[in-house]
Amino acid sequence: MTSTLGFAILSVLARGDRTGYDLAAAMRRPVGYFWTAGHSQIHAELQKLLGAGLVGFEAEHGPGPRDRKVYHLTAEGTRALREWVTEPPRERPERDELVLKTYASWLAEPELVRRMFADQLAAHETRLAEYERHEASFGGPPAPGDPRFGNYATLRCGMGYERHRAEWCRWMLAQLGEG
Amino acid sequence: MTSTLGFAILSVLARGDRTGYDLAAAMRRPVGYFWTAGHSQIHAELQKLLGAGLVGFEAEHGPGPRDRKVYHLTAEGTRALREWVTEPPRERPERDELVLKTYASWLAEPELVRRMFADQLAAHETRLAEYERHEASFGGPPAPGDPRFGNYATLRCGMGYERHRAEWCRWMLAQLGEG
DNA sequence: GGGATCATGTAATTGGTTACATGATTGT
DNA sequence: ACAATCATGTAACCAATTACATGATCCC
């Protein structure tokens, strides 16, 4: 019963062998945009994946008191990952604090609500500009089958999300009236 | 240190007094679209809110072995909620299984990926149609200050989200080619 | 009689965050 | 000398899910 975090790790490892430290770095950016984990969680999960025979490692003597371990996918790990990819994702409950605040916004001062949404809008516009710059660095969409397709397709999703959020913020501001 | 779940409960209670059971029902739909909790979590959180003096209850002898407790906001609870609403939401890490699968989709069979996205697209279109029917039942946007504004604004957010997701699914299908 | 709904709670487990702990190498 | 980076791990805690437990009333 490999967890989603386990498959997140396998997904990164499928692009190249890495240490736990490298995995933690990768799961801040770009994987962190859709799945994050701290290093403590990653080391623990790697033990489980090792026990399940989905990954292996080669140890070199590294900096610090313990060995440096470079992890790689096993044949079984690759097979498990490939199988998991096309299984329908199990939906997890949404938890969105801004939307919850919006639900209760009728009892707050409109001016303060307006300010909150103005800040949110600015943040979304900044992130969208960042993503757009990143998108431009791809020379158009890579072919499915190319590992870079994964990066590009998730980036496109992020761009759509930021646009949708920004639009909703603008709609909210219009509802609240000019400040 | 009231948790977000605590404020979710206060947000529902602000619209009318309720039992823990009623709160659990409310947090499936419509609040469940942006914050869910099971009844066990809710009963536990109500104890904390009670301890913090943000809610109170009146007990009647109800069905089952224990008293039925109708909870209500205290003055302090209303104040805490009103304050929380306009504080900037602390951002929590994104965790999206479909996007993670997309990241690893380059090593799967394109036809299976295509099928997964076709299913997702259908689900989003169904939900969007549902939301649109619900939106039509409002006679246009209520004024901010009206509790119904909270329902309407969150519904609008949900509609935008479903549209964005559906569009991304269609883009993915186009990338993967006709099946 | 039987199942759904109403109504409360506890316990066990999993998933995730934060803090603690250690220590070499590289760059300023 | 000092800070940052590389590198591993454990422990404590909080949030959330699932399972366990009880029992009355209402509708078929």
Side-chain angles (χ1 to χ4, degrees), chain B residues 55-97:
Chain B
V55 301
F57 67 86
E58 261 145 298
E60 318 164 358
H61 101 278
R66 292 185 197 80
D67 274 359
R68 172 187 139 98
K69 298 174 186 173
V70 182
Y71 288 89
H72 57 83
L73 283 187
T74 61
E76 224 193 310
T78 310
R79 196 184 46 71
L81 176 58
R82 195 178 284 131
E83 233 171 71
W84 169 82
V85 166
T86 52
E87 268 164 32
R90 56 188 188 118
E91 37 191 319
R92 26 179 73 225
E94 287 284 329
R95 283 203 180 83
D96 191 319
E97 208 173 297

Side-chain angles (χ1 to χ4, degrees), chain B residues 7-67:
Chain B
F7 288 111
I9 290 173
L10 297 182
S11 300
V12 177
L13 245 30
R15 285 148 188 264
D17 301 353
R18 276 176 180 77
T19 64
Y21 184 89
D22 291 332
L23 281 162
M27 290 185 72
R28 271 191 288 276
R29 270 154 302 129
V31 180
Y33 291 125
F34 44 91
W35 209 276
T36 348
H39 78 275
S40 66
Q41 215 187 340
I42 287 169
H43 285 299
E45 189 66 32
L46 281 169
Q47 297 300 315
K48 288 184 204 167
L49 293 173
L50 207 60
L54 304 182
V55 301
F57 67 86
E58 261 145 298
E60 318 164 358
H61 101 278
R66 292 185 197 80
D67 274 359

Side-chain angles (χ1 to χ4, degrees), chain B residues 88-170:
Chain B
R90 56 188 188 118
E91 37 191 319
R92 26 179 73 225
E94 287 284 329
R95 283 203 180 83
D96 191 319
E97 208 173 297
L98 181 66
V99 183
L100 179 58
K101 280 168 190 277
T102 305
Y103 181 70
S105 67
W106 59 279
L107 40 72
E109 274 192 69
E111 178 51 27
L112 294 177
V113 180
R114 218 196 60 84
R115 238 176 269 175
M116 179 172 69
F117 273 93
D119 289 352
Q120 289 287 317
L121 175 57
H124 287 301
E125 280 171 341
T126 304
R127 248 174 291 168
L128 178 58
E130 221 175 276
Y131 291 178
E132 277 170 344
R133 247 177 293 127
H134 190 187
E135 196 218 2
S137 75
F138 287 85
D146 186 337
R148 289 167 69 250
F149 177 75
N151 297 67
Y152 188 79
T154 55
L155 180 61
R156 288 286 297 220
C157 181
M159 285 169 61
Y161 178 76
E162 296 302 329
R163 280 197 195 106
H164 135 64
R165 274 288 167 139
E167 213 176 302
W168 180 59
C169 286
R170 271 182 230 110

Side-chain angles (χ1 to χ4, degrees), chain A residues 147-170:
Chain A
R148 289 167 67 250
F149 176 75
N151 297 66
Y152 188 78
T154 55
L155 180 61
R156 288 286 296 219
C157 181
M159 285 168 61
Y161 178 77
E162 297 301 330
R163 280 197 195 107
H164 135 64
R165 275 289 168 139
E167 215 177 301
W168 180 59
C169 287
R170 271 182 231 111

Side-chain angles (χ1 to χ4, degrees), chain A residues 87-172:
Chain A
E87 268 164 31
R90 56 187 188 118
E91 38 191 317
R92 26 178 74 227
E94 287 286 328
R95 281 201 181 84
D96 192 318
E97 207 172 297
L98 181 66
V99 183
L100 179 59
K101 280 168 191 279
T102 305
Y103 181 70
S105 66
W106 60 279
L107 40 72
E109 274 192 69
E111 178 52 27
L112 295 177
V113 180
R114 217 197 61 84
R115 237 176 268 174
M116 180 172 68
F117 273 94
D119 289 350
Q120 289 286 319
L121 175 58
H124 287 303
E125 279 171 342
T126 304
R127 247 174 291 168
L128 178 58
E130 220 176 276
Y131 291 177
E132 276 170 344
R133 247 177 291 126
H134 190 186
E135 195 218 2
S137 75
F138 286 86
D146 186 336
R148 289 167 67 250
F149 176 75
N151 297 66
Y152 188 78
T154 55
L155 180 61
R156 288 286 296 219
C157 181
M159 285 168 61
Y161 178 77
E162 297 301 330
R163 280 197 195 107
H164 135 64
R165 275 289 168 139
E167 215 177 301
W168 180 59
C169 287
R170 271 182 231 111
W171 178 85
M172 278 293 293

